[in-house]
Amino acid sequence: MLFNIGTVGFSKLENTESRYQVINDVINNSTNKSSIETNDEKKFVENKKQYGNHIGVIVRGLQTDNKLTVTGIVPYADSVKKMPISDLSVEKVNLEFVKEQQVVEDEYHVTFVNQDTDMEMTFYLQNVVDYLKNKNNKNGYYDGVSVSALAYGGKIVLPLCDDDEFEEEIGLYSTYEDDEEDEDGDDIVAEGNILEDMEEFFVQSEKLDTVYHVLGKIKSVKELSNTTTKEKIYKLEVNTYRMNLDVYINKKDLLGMPSPGMRFMGTCWLQGNVMFK
């Protein structure tokens, strides 16, 4: 997975044992758990645990009797904003091209048209089990989507001058530290740097369709805390291209101090839920 769980406050998982501790905690102390039978007499299980307001970790796996084989661990951030949509489609994909990272679990990507902006958008599906249970309902089974953004790195820039030129910017891009090299992630962040002199943007990455380069005005700022690690996460409401997007970023990955009226510039992974009728 391109985005590790440092984005929701687990940036110091320095070894395999510490990762297993988080996985076991999610499985044994789930906030929410759902499952669906597969064709080979196994259960596809989705365990979700909240580690603070709106943030947490999803662990998925295949269960046979009492044995659960973990297939994926994913950070998540909730959004309560319902987007009006049209032309929704869901595609099962894999990410085998990602360098030096073993991808075990197939992903589901949702593509839709945001009716407020007439823009086509794609995000990583959080509620996979809900989708699998509802996908055969052909009578208008979805009612909307909610989308949030986990930022890979970002910075705060000053508001535009009256003559529509940038004032002095604060800092440079910051990316999370990981114990493994992430060449693809660095390349994706570099894509966003070439857009730096625009007024605002919401541009899909050329490398991964659920990743977007974002520049927009901050409308509100909330500071959250991971209840286990006490790491701080900012929740920024960012207005870009006539939509308000909830952006979550680990405080250590953000250069500058966010406040309403300033602008956020960063590279974000979109994820969300399909709302079913």
Side-chain angles (χ1 to χ4, degrees):
M1 192 63 229
L2 178 65
F3 289 83
N4 87 2
I5 59 178
T7 55
V8 294
F10 289 101
S11 65
K12 298 180 180 180
L13 299 184
E14 299 174 351
N15 52 53
T16 302
E17 181 180 352
S18 59
R19 292 188 186 94
Y20 284 151
Q21 289 175 354
V22 174
I23 291 171
N24 288 332
D25 184 40
V26 174
I27 293 172
N28 296 325
N29 302 291
S30 300
T31 306
N32 181 269
K33 185 174 182 177
S34 56
S35 64
I36 186 172
E37 298 284 347
T38 66
N39 294 330
D40 52 1
E41 298 183 353
K42 295 179 181 178
K43 282 185 177 181
F44 178 68
V45 180
E46 198 170 66
N47 300 275
K48 184 175 181 180
K49 181 172 180 182
Q50 189 174 352
Y51 283 99
N53 290 334
H54 307 294
I55 59 173
V57 175
I58 298 171
V59 173
R60 298 192 181 94
L62 292 173
Q63 185 170 344
T64 305
D65 297 326
N66 294 324
K67 181 181 180 181
L68 179 66
T69 301
V70 174
T71 59
I73 174 171
V74 183
Y76 78 85
D78 286 329
S79 174
V80 297
K81 295 184 177 69
K82 179 180 175 181
M83 290 187 178
I85 64 172
S86 62
D87 299 327
L88 182 144
S89 64
V90 182
E91 180 185 8
K92 185 177 180 180
V93 299
N94 65 67
L95 300 178
E96 292 179 354
F97 66 88
V98 177
K99 298 177 184 177
E100 299 179 0
Q101 296 192 39
Q102 182 180 4
V103 179
V104 177
E105 182 183 57
D106 289 327
E107 297 185 354
Y108 290 85
H109 292 182
V110 179
T111 300
F112 70 100
V113 174
N114 184 331
Q115 291 182 340
D116 287 339
T117 63
D118 292 324
M119 180 187 300
E120 184 176 273
M121 300 170 60
T122 300
F123 66 87
Y124 170 94
L125 181 64
Q126 288 180 5
N127 57 332
V128 173
V129 170
D130 285 346
Y131 163 70
L132 294 175
K133 288 179 177 179
N134 286 276
K135 69 175 183 177
N136 293 324
N137 184 345
K138 302 300 183 181
N139 297 319
Y141 68 97
Y142 58 84
D143 191 38
V145 299
S146 61
V147 179
S148 59
L150 287 177
Y152 189 80
K155 64 181 178 181
I156 302 301
V157 296
L158 294 174
L160 290 176
C161 301
D162 291 339
D163 59 359
D164 289 339
E165 294 181 356
F166 278 112
E167 293 188 25
E168 179 183 0
E169 295 183 354
I170 302 176
L172 300 171
Y173 255 107
S174 169
T175 61
Y176 73 80
E177 297 178 0
D178 197 1
D179 57 336
E180 295 180 359
E181 294 184 1
D182 187 355
E183 296 177 8
D184 291 276
D186 293 340
D187 290 345
I188 288 173
V189 169
E191 283 182 351
N193 288 331
I194 65 175
L195 303 167
E196 198 162 337
D197 59 353
M198 297 177 64
E199 179 178 351
E200 66 174 21
F201 54 75
F202 184 77
V203 180
Q204 191 173 42
S205 168
E206 295 180 359
K207 289 180 172 289
L208 196 61
D209 63 3
T210 57
V211 173
Y212 287 77
H213 306 300
V214 178
L215 173 63
K217 185 177 180 180
I218 299 172
K219 295 187 65 178
S220 66
V221 179
K222 291 184 179 179
E223 186 175 288
L224 313 176
S225 178
N226 183 301
T227 54
T228 296
T229 66
K230 309 306 179 185
E231 291 185 32
K232 303 300 182 183
I233 294 94
Y234 285 124
K235 177 187 177 185
L236 310 176
E237 184 181 9
V238 177
N239 183 267
T240 182
Y241 271 74
R242 307 192 312 277
M243 66 178 172
N244 292 326
L245 186 66
D246 288 335
V247 176
Y248 294 79
I249 184 168
N250 194 308
K251 187 175 182 178
K252 73 177 187 64
D253 294 330
L254 181 66
L255 228 66
M257 183 64 67
S259 62
M262 305 290 281
R263 292 183 300 151
F264 168 82
M265 179 179 179
T267 299
C268 299
W269 177 44
L270 295 194
Q271 57 168 234
N273 293 287
V274 174
M275 299 176 177
F276 296 100
K277 293 181 179 179

